[in-house]
Amino acid sequence: MKLPVSTEWVLHCATTLAQLDPGASASAAQLAQYYDLPAAYLTKQLKALVRAGLLAATTGPRGGFRLARPASEITLLQIVEAVDGTSSPYECREIRQRGRGALPPEDCRRTCVLAEKMADAHEAWRRSLAGVTLAGILASLPPSAPSRTRLRLAGTV
């Protein structure tokens, strides 16, 4: 499975926002500079997280993005699905019923075994991501990471 590069961006940005002090926010420009990303496109991706209820956004000179709920209530699956959708990356087009090797319709009443296995793999992937919260990610970071992140994001280091 290959996800767009923007998926990496939002996962990292959400993790960065989770490291901020409670109530603090960071602008899209700050996050874009922090990761050397295009600000306009990053803003579009962050807005998808706002629409999904994962981030909150405020406008104005001190505006920016922050987590909309505790990090323990935001999963990696929620973040990924907010920007990439929920559909499976595999789509069975029933090629077993086409061409020289076409099977008769009566042999295709059951779902294709390959489609079943790909659906199983997709569900396993989803379950895995659903079991990981931003709080879990933060717990695996070195203890100095949040303060380092806050300082660098603010441009004071």
Side-chain angles (χ1 to χ4, degrees):
M1 174 180 307
K2 186 173 181 165
L3 297 170
V5 68
S6 58
T7 304
E8 178 185 10
W9 300 358
V10 296
L11 287 167
H12 278 280
C13 287
T15 302
T16 299
L17 294 172
Q19 295 175 68
L20 300 180
D21 290 324
S25 63
S27 69
Q30 285 175 298
L31 291 165
Q33 185 176 28
Y34 189 78
Y35 289 112
D36 192 26
L37 300 172
Y41 191 63
L42 178 60
T43 299
K44 179 181 173 187
Q45 301 306 311
L46 294 172
K47 285 180 179 179
L49 297 183
V50 171
R51 284 189 300 277
L54 304 174
L55 297 183
T58 54
T59 57
R62 295 191 189 273
F65 296 91
R66 61 179 166 71
L67 298 185
R69 341 192 261 257
S72 61
E73 296 177 14
I74 299 174
T75 69
L76 298 188
L77 179 64
Q78 291 168 328
I79 296 167
V80 169
E81 287 186 343
V83 294
D84 296 322
T86 60
S87 63
S88 174
Y90 182 81
E91 183 182 339
C92 181
R93 292 184 173 80
E94 281 295 338
I95 67 167
R96 64 186 176 159
Q97 296 183 53
R98 298 184 351 213
R100 193 176 293 179
L103 295 173
E106 60 271 11
D107 289 351
C108 299
R109 289 190 183 119
R110 269 194 74 225
T111 302
C112 170
V113 67
L114 296 173
E116 285 178 4
K117 297 302 177 189
M118 295 302 285
D120 291 347
H122 181 65
E123 276 309 306
W125 179 80
R126 291 181 82 249
R127 277 192 306 276
S128 176
L129 291 179
V132 180
T133 65
L134 285 179
I137 296 296
L138 294 183
S140 69
L141 297 177
S144 61
S147 60
R148 177 185 177 271
T149 297
R150 289 189 295 269
L151 290 171
R152 291 203 172 184
L153 191 62
T156 56
V157 173

